[in-house]
Amino acid sequence: MGGIRGFGRLDDGRAVNAHAIGDPAQLSAEILDLGGILARLRVRGADGPVDVVLGLGDARAYGGDPAFLGQLIGRYGNRIAGATFELAGRRHALDANEGRNHLHGGAHGFGHRPWRVEAHSGEALVLSLRSPAGEGGYPGALDVRATYRVEGDVLSLVFAARCDAATPFNPTHHPYFNLAGDRTVPAAAQWLQVPASHYLPVDGELIPFGEVAPVAGTPFDFRIARGLAIAAPHPQLEAGGGLDHCLVLDPGRGFTAALYSPHSGLAMRIDSDAPGLQLYGGQGLARQHPGLGDGICLEPQDYPDAPNRPAFPPAILAPGRDYRRSIRYRFARPGRDRGWDEVAHALRLDRPGLGSPSGVPA
């Protein structure tokens, strides 16, 4: 594949290109050199290609996108309270772009920046970005490389980075998934499993209290696959306006998350070395992009506000250290793909009540 097409221009006149990788007959992606945005991801379904991520039509539509659709996120994914933190005895002030708080790297976040194309082939796209010292308030110059690769039915994303001074660093990825392939199908119609026995409760600004709470008896318990629709009220759902919480992944887990659509029969398994998974139900999309449709975000990452929470695992990149984080998305159709067992063991699709797409036994 490996093609390039113009994707329009931003309001300031900058041209944006879409870079294709993968095999249209199996799994293919289009990634923008703006924000490293995953603008399209098509998976082979029972009746042809299925679009499984939400995307916009041209570059201008992505300019200043408040939903962070498909973006590479950094320097720090999620929120930092008060847009400030202390490191080595020095207080640093960051861009405040969500009220008084810092979200997804602020105004200088990676997802709003042009990335340099280092290499592009039919299977892979390598992007790079330099974030100078002081950008957005962060200490240290940071060099980041993001590599997208398609191999068979797997899309992988690997972040690599180095800095010259200690800095908070928590990159993640922000696609909105709807495996139904039909944007009118509610995202909550999908089934999800996450091996997380705890989560981080948040306040009304979606900042963690610092408590690591058990998921048992809460709407955040996805240890056994279930639908995303929430019937019972919960104070934490009111705080987040729905699902918008970091799930604390269990040590020794076999995977990060698994998602399944009874409508298409498609399933996805996510594997990552990150300690947490932000689950966002996409409840802001109807306001931010009317008519776009429904999708959910599953964002492997470090804990939100970790630079201000000594009890949380640190998310500080030391100078001279080689950073690496990987995220792997594997897609399969039950009963049809050799790789299906890797997804099905998590979702337990033989369990009664999960739902049965056409041609797939329940």
Side-chain angles (χ1 to χ4, degrees), residues 124-255:
L125 178 69
V126 182
L127 301 170
S128 66
L129 178 72
R130 181 169 179 81
S131 177
E135 184 175 54
Y138 284 98
L142 179 74
D143 290 296
V144 185
R145 178 173 292 174
T147 301
Y148 283 100
R149 184 178 301 277
V150 171
E151 296 178 287
D153 55 14
V154 175
L155 172 68
S156 63
L157 169 62
V158 175
F159 290 101
R162 286 178 68 91
C163 64
D164 62 7
T167 185
F169 189 51
N170 177 28
T172 188
H173 195 208
H174 209 282
Y176 288 76
F177 290 102
N178 191 331
L179 302 186
D182 180 347
R183 296 180 179 186
T184 66
V185 174
Q190 299 172 106
W191 288 72
L192 176 67
Q193 185 169 19
V194 181
S197 300
H198 295 82
Y199 79 107
L200 303 182
V202 296
D203 63 20
E205 295 179 297
L206 296 173
I207 302 298
F209 291 117
E211 173 191 6
V212 179
V215 299
T218 77
F220 310 102
D221 190 350
F222 290 93
R223 290 173 294 176
I224 295 177
R226 64 174 178 84
L228 283 154
I230 306 291
H234 190 278
Q236 276 295 297
L237 295 178
E238 295 177 13
L243 295 167
D244 198 356
H245 295 74
C246 185
L247 305 180
V248 177
L249 296 166
D250 293 340
R253 61 192 176 274
F255 63 103

Side-chain angles (χ1 to χ4, degrees), residues 2 21-22 50 56 66 79 86 95 113 154 177 204 224 235 254 326:
I21 59 173
V50 178
L56 304 175
R79 294 165 177 86
E86 186 175 308
D95 296 335
R113 300 274 304 282
V154 175
F177 290 102
I224 295 177
S326 65

Side-chain angles (χ1 to χ4, degrees), residues 14-325:
R14 283 181 295 161
V16 175
N17 290 317
H19 302 260
I21 59 173
D23 180 357
Q26 186 166 0
L27 176 64
S28 62
E30 277 197 325
I31 298 120
L32 307 185
D33 47 27
L34 170 69
I37 291 168
L38 180 63
R40 172 172 287 180
L41 185 61
R42 284 185 166 179
V43 181
R44 175 176 55 93
D47 302 312
V50 178
D51 288 308
V52 296
V53 299
L54 302 185
L56 304 175
D58 58 29
R60 183 168 281 109
Y62 280 105
D65 170 28
F68 304 92
L69 286 161
Q71 293 182 7
L72 301 180
I73 299 295
R75 291 189 189 192
Y76 203 93
N78 218 310
R79 294 165 177 86
I80 294 179
T84 184
F85 66 93
E86 186 175 308
L87 182 61
R90 180 182 172 188
R91 177 65 57 178
H92 297 269
L94 304 174
D95 296 335
N97 63 322
E98 190 184 58
R100 69 184 192 92
N101 301 315
H102 180 81
L103 173 64
H104 291 334
H108 298 85
F110 294 172
H112 305 302
R113 300 274 304 282
W115 287 64
R116 178 181 176 184
V117 177
E118 296 283 350
H120 181 207
S121 67
E123 298 79 32
L125 178 69
V126 182
L127 301 170
S128 66
L129 178 72
R130 181 169 179 81
S131 177
E135 184 175 54
Y138 284 98
L142 179 74
D143 290 296
V144 185
R145 178 173 292 174
T147 301
Y148 283 100
R149 184 178 301 277
V150 171
E151 296 178 287
D153 55 14
V154 175
L155 172 68
S156 63
L157 169 62
V158 175
F159 290 101
R162 286 178 68 91
C163 64
D164 62 7
T167 185
F169 189 51
N170 177 28
T172 188
H173 195 208
H174 209 282
Y176 288 76
F177 290 102
N178 191 331
L179 302 186
D182 180 347
R183 296 180 179 186
T184 66
V185 174
Q190 299 172 106
W191 288 72
L192 176 67
Q193 185 169 19
V194 181
S197 300
H198 295 82
Y199 79 107
L200 303 182
V202 296
D203 63 20
E205 295 179 297
L206 296 173
I207 302 298
F209 291 117
E211 173 191 6
V212 179
V215 299
T218 77
F220 310 102
D221 190 350
F222 290 93
R223 290 173 294 176
I224 295 177
R226 64 174 178 84
L228 283 154
I230 306 291
H234 190 278
Q236 276 295 297
L237 295 178
E238 295 177 13
L243 295 167
D244 198 356
H245 295 74
C246 185
L247 305 180
V248 177
L249 296 166
D250 293 340
R253 61 192 176 274
F255 63 103
T256 292
L259 188 68
Y260 167 68
S261 169
H263 292 80
S264 67
L266 286 175
M268 174 182 72
R269 166 177 164 156
I270 301 177
D271 292 281
S272 178
D273 48 5
L277 179 78
Q278 185 76 11
L279 168 58
Y280 172 48
Q283 51 268 23
L285 281 173
R287 170 178 49 83
Q288 294 163 332
H289 294 289
L292 179 62
D294 268 3
I296 69 161
C297 291
L298 301 166
E299 308 160 51
Q301 59 185 247
D302 289 287
Y303 296 3
D305 200 33
N308 291 315
R309 304 285 175 173
F312 286 177
I316 304 296
L317 179 59
R321 176 193 160 198
D322 289 320
Y323 179 94
R324 179 184 171 91
R325 169 160 296 164

